[in-house]
Amino acid sequence: MNIAKLSSQHLNLYFGSKHVLKDVDIAFPENQVTSLIGPSGCGKSTLLRAFNRMHDLSPDAKIEGDLYLDDLNLYKSKVSVTEIRKRIGMVFQKPNPLPKSIYDNLAYALHIHKFPKQQIPHLIENALKESYLWDAVKDELKKPAVKLSGGEQQRLCIARAVVLRPEVILMDEPCSALDPISTGKIEELILRLRENYTIIIVTHNMQQAQRISDKVAFMYLGQVIEYDTCDMIFNQPKQELTKNYIRGSFG
Ligand code: ADP
Ligand code: MG
């Protein structure tokens, strides 16, 4: 039985002849924040993207093994990619609002996923509240989203994921383009969202990983080297590689 919210079994991923993920077995628990850490190029983004089928459009990507959302096999069931992306949302490094108003960024996502029209205003208000944006934007919902600050744009992108009521939110270095104050707000938001969502976040910021994570996976050269509670990884890592990485000796 599969009790994790999101998991992989014997996941191997290749880009052409390059073996990028090597036999990754990992299980992410529900309603927790798990950070993926490790030096650039070790496969963190590739792993995250595999879960919401972002490699489908790369002709040279080959995936072996199984990925699951609960017991749903993400590649071998008949569930559509659109449905998978509704249930597993994603937020990227650079805020990427559409060139539309604040309101329409969220309305568009709801429209694509065929939510009933009459629910849309209410769902948008809730998602903006959940993302700590409502007070700042409630009087200017028609303003172009690109006029928001970087941190607000990123919270809008989180709201755009949240508005679809996903089960999992994947975040790939969501704060790396933000100043410390905006970063603090996103971290606070992540800790709140954990109550309702399972969150997997890639971060290069070790302080951030310690502030927000329940669990931490350290990756190196396409493998998960060590996966444990945040406390164990940062205070009593078992592997020499993990020790060296968190001490900042490489990466
Ligand atoms: P990380 O997020 O840990 O920095 P990535 O997952 O982005 O690492 O990349 C892992 C490896 O896969 C790197 O060597 C990268 O160059 C390679 N890679 C990533 N995406 C592609 C792609 N679309 N085509 C070919 N190689 C890729
Ligand atoms: Mg990356």
Side-chain angles (χ1 to χ4, degrees):
M1 207 186 44
N2 200 345
I3 53 160
K5 186 67 203 173
L6 198 69
S7 60
S8 72
Q9 289 176 4
H10 300 299
L11 169 63
N12 282 284
L13 193 149
Y14 306 80
F15 289 117
S17 59
K18 191 166 181 192
H19 194 175
V20 173
L21 294 177
K22 298 173 184 155
D23 213 30
V24 173
D25 276 321
I26 195 159
F28 301 108
E30 187 163 26
N31 296 123
Q32 297 207 352
V33 177
T34 303
S35 290
L36 302 180
I37 62 169
S40 288
C42 71
K44 304 177 299 295
S45 298
T46 302
L47 176 60
L48 211 59
R49 287 159 168 264
F51 282 106
N52 78 345
R53 304 220 7 198
M54 299 266 300
H55 301 301
D56 286 21
L57 292 174
S58 306
D60 61 342
K62 187 175 94 184
I63 297 188
E64 294 168 355
D66 293 295
L67 294 165
Y68 295 94
L69 173 66
D70 297 318
D71 282 334
L72 173 72
N73 190 311
L74 294 170
Y75 285 79
K76 294 175 185 165
S77 73
K78 292 206 165 62
V79 174
S80 70
V81 173
T82 310
E83 171 68 15
I84 287 171
R85 291 190 187 153
K86 173 175 172 292
R87 294 178 64 183
I88 305 177
M90 184 140 185
V91 175
F92 298 90
Q93 178 170 359
K94 198 165 164 288
N96 59 348
L98 299 167
K100 293 174 181 289
S101 69
I102 294 164
Y103 187 91
D104 285 342
N105 261 272
L106 303 189
Y108 184 71
L110 291 165
H111 171 72
I112 297 279
H113 290 277
K114 301 193 169 59
F115 279 73
K117 271 212 172 71
Q118 68 274 18
Q119 290 181 10
I120 288 181
H122 175 68
L123 291 171
I124 289 179
E125 180 174 337
N126 280 350
L128 289 171
K129 284 181 175 160
E130 251 190 305
S131 310
Y132 294 156
L133 259 185
W134 179 250
D135 289 337
V137 304
K138 63 175 189 269
D139 298 324
E140 42 183 17
L141 293 173
K142 292 291 164 198
K143 185 164 106 169
V146 293
K147 296 235 166 114
L148 294 170
S149 71
E152 288 168 338
Q153 287 186 31
Q154 195 60 305
R155 297 211 297 285
L156 182 67
C157 292
I158 294 173
R160 192 170 62 188
V162 160
V163 79
L164 301 174
R165 319 298 328 160
E167 295 159 56
V168 176
I169 306 176
L170 309 172
M171 300 186 176
D172 196 349
E173 299 186 49
C175 301
S176 62
L178 304 180
D179 62 79
I181 290 175
S182 307
T183 295
K185 287 185 182 169
I186 302 261
E187 289 181 8
E188 198 184 321
L189 173 55
I190 289 170
L191 289 171
R192 260 282 302 284
L193 293 173
R194 176 177 67 165
E195 293 167 19
N196 297 313
Y197 307 97
T198 299
I199 295 173
I200 324 294
I201 175 174
V202 172
T203 179
H204 279 126
N205 180 329
M206 294 304 106
Q207 284 77 29
Q208 175 169 78
Q210 291 185 72
R211 285 191 295 262
I212 63 175
S213 321
D214 298 291
K215 297 192 79 175
V216 176
F218 168 63
M219 294 181 67
Y220 185 63
L221 299 178
Q223 289 180 302
V224 175
I225 304 293
E226 190 163 353
Y227 178 42
D228 211 326
T229 60
C230 182
D231 185 48
M232 285 298 286
I233 291 285
F234 284 104
N235 297 313
Q236 296 177 64
K238 294 190 177 72
Q239 305 293 329
E240 214 48 42
L241 277 169
T242 316
K243 266 180 222 168
N244 291 338
Y245 182 73
I246 62 173
R247 283 184 192 145
S249 1
F250 73 96

